Amino acid sequence: MKLSPQLLKEYQENGFLILPELFSAEEIASIREAMERVFSEEDEANIREKKSGVVRTAMGLHLRDALFEKLVRHPRLVEPAQQIAGEDLYVQQVKINVKAAFEGEQWQWHQDFSTHHNDDGVPEPLALNLHIFLDDVNEFNGPLYFFKGSQTFGSIATLHDTESTSYALWIVEPDKVKEVSESCELVSATGKAGTALIFGDCLVHGSPPNMSPWNRAIFSLILNPVENAYTQESRKDHHHHRDLTPVRALGDDCLLEMAG
């Protein structure tokens, strides 16, 4: 799958792309089955909510289940990423973020690059986050909020927040968020299950708690150019994978082959 020149231009201007219903209902059902398998495991890569104890993030998925091993090589993810970031990309991180109905916690305002740089020594903000909605995401169940075009501010997250939630995060402080808001429109990323989302390493984003009666699960694959790889190994492998083998796309029906 190739992005059109118009979509590539939109990505460069806004810092993100929303691709509605890129994956079929059958494919999403297969991904959700694999999600339930990994969520049921007692594994340190399953990170739980501070208050409720339910799984907030499950990481290292492609090393834990055969379906995710295929999904990280899916052409609908890999080929657009190669158009944006170059041919030789490695699998930096693979996870599912969940906001459970009624109790899913927030993600603070942040930029992914700050964690990649400060914790893993990634030199430049070249990595891409590729999401797939595993539930319908609406205005009420904790969608991602983006400041459109905020990648132009460069790296601005400076505070390491280890208290607010169960996942330590380098965050953008309120005064800087306010500054960004004065020139960048705030938008929410919503869509039906199967919708894909691509965004870059310096886009300022976050998400509110989920007090709705609907779950919100999102698959996330981070691909990073091999030449921009980590330079330090302070975090565990499921936070930042060490295998720098360039990812190569499989056939478009790779998930359906497994289901069959």
Side-chain angles (χ1 to χ4, degrees), residues 104-117:
E105 296 176 359
Q106 69 169 345
W107 286 93
Q108 310 94 299
W109 290 114
H110 67 285
Q111 298 170 305
D112 289 350
F113 177 63
S114 300
T115 296
H116 302 163
H117 182 68

Side-chain angles (χ1 to χ4, degrees), residues 200-243:
D201 232 14
C202 275
L203 190 70
V204 177
H205 64 289
S207 59
N210 181 11
M211 60 183 293
S212 82
W214 308 294
N215 288 332
R216 190 227 73 176
I218 297 178
F219 170 81
S220 167
L221 164 65
I222 297 178
L223 296 178
N224 187 32
V226 173
E227 64 182 14
N228 191 50
Y230 64 91
T231 60
Q232 59 194 53
E233 299 184 14
S234 58
R235 296 202 295 170
K236 294 182 178 179
D237 182 78
H238 59 261
H239 289 290
H240 195 123
H241 298 295
R242 316 297 182 208
D243 184 353

Side-chain angles (χ1 to χ4, degrees), residues 120-141:
D120 305 314
V122 172
E124 300 294 334
L126 304 177
L128 293 177
N129 206 322
L130 303 118
H131 280 190
I132 304 170
F133 295 176
L134 304 182
D135 295 301
D136 292 349
V137 178
N138 57 46
E139 298 291 344
F140 309 106
N141 64 346

Side-chain angles (χ1 to χ4, degrees), residues 155-186:
S155 180
I156 55 175
T158 57
L159 176 65
H160 197 213
D161 184 353
T162 61
E163 299 296 329
S164 295
T165 70
S166 57
Y167 193 91
L169 201 63
W170 288 89
I171 67 169
V172 180
E173 296 186 79
D175 59 339
K176 198 66 181 181
V177 174
K178 189 174 185 304
E179 180 185 338
V180 169
S181 73
E182 291 169 357
S183 59
C184 298
E185 178 186 2
L186 181 60

Side-chain angles (χ1 to χ4, degrees), residues 247-260:
V247 65
R248 294 293 179 252
L250 300 174
D252 192 71
D253 60 351
C254 59
L255 299 185
L256 299 179
E257 283 180 345
M258 292 191 69

Side-chain angles (χ1 to χ4, degrees), residues 2-181:
K2 299 293 185 183
L3 297 174
S4 68
Q6 180 181 351
L7 286 175
L8 286 170
K9 183 174 183 289
E10 182 180 331
Y11 171 80
Q12 294 299 332
E13 291 177 353
N14 296 337
F16 68 94
L17 279 177
I18 298 174
L19 303 172
E21 298 177 71
L22 191 64
F23 288 82
S24 70
E26 186 178 359
E27 289 169 321
I28 294 302
S30 295
I31 298 169
R32 289 188 60 86
E33 288 175 7
M35 177 182 76
E36 296 301 329
R37 290 194 293 268
V38 297
F39 276 29
S40 68
E41 299 171 352
E42 287 299 326
D43 191 302
E44 67 172 346
N46 285 354
I47 299 160
R48 299 181 181 275
E49 294 278 21
K50 209 168 192 177
K51 296 178 181 177
S52 67
V54 300
V55 174
R56 170 186 175 90
T57 301
M59 308 183 83
L61 304 180
H62 65 310
L63 304 178
R64 300 169 59 186
D65 192 279
L67 182 133
F68 292 116
E69 185 181 6
K70 299 281 189 184
L71 185 54
V72 300
R73 295 168 174 80
H74 201 290
R76 281 173 249 158
L77 299 177
V78 173
E79 291 177 357
Q82 289 174 324
Q83 282 181 275
I84 295 169
E87 187 71 19
D88 290 336
L89 309 173
Y90 73 97
V91 176
Q92 176 174 308
Q93 191 182 84
V94 186
K95 64 180 181 286
I96 289 176
N97 285 334
V98 176
K99 284 186 186 246
F102 300 111
E103 55 194 10
E105 296 176 359
Q106 69 169 345
W107 286 93
Q108 310 94 299
W109 290 114
H110 67 285
Q111 298 170 305
D112 289 350
F113 177 63
S114 300
T115 296
H116 302 163
H117 182 68
N118 290 310
D119 292 350
D120 305 314
V122 172
E124 300 294 334
L126 304 177
L128 293 177
N129 206 322
L130 303 118
H131 280 190
I132 304 170
F133 295 176
L134 304 182
D135 295 301
D136 292 349
V137 178
N138 57 46
E139 298 291 344
F140 309 106
N141 64 346
L144 273 79
Y145 292 165
F146 292 139
F147 280 106
K148 185 187 292 186
S150 57
Q151 76 281 0
T152 59
F153 280 79
S155 180
I156 55 175
T158 57
L159 176 65
H160 197 213
D161 184 353
T162 61
E163 299 296 329
S164 295
T165 70
S166 57
Y167 193 91
L169 201 63
W170 288 89
I171 67 169
V172 180
E173 296 186 79
D175 59 339
K176 198 66 181 181
V177 174
K178 189 174 185 304
E179 180 185 338
V180 169
S181 73

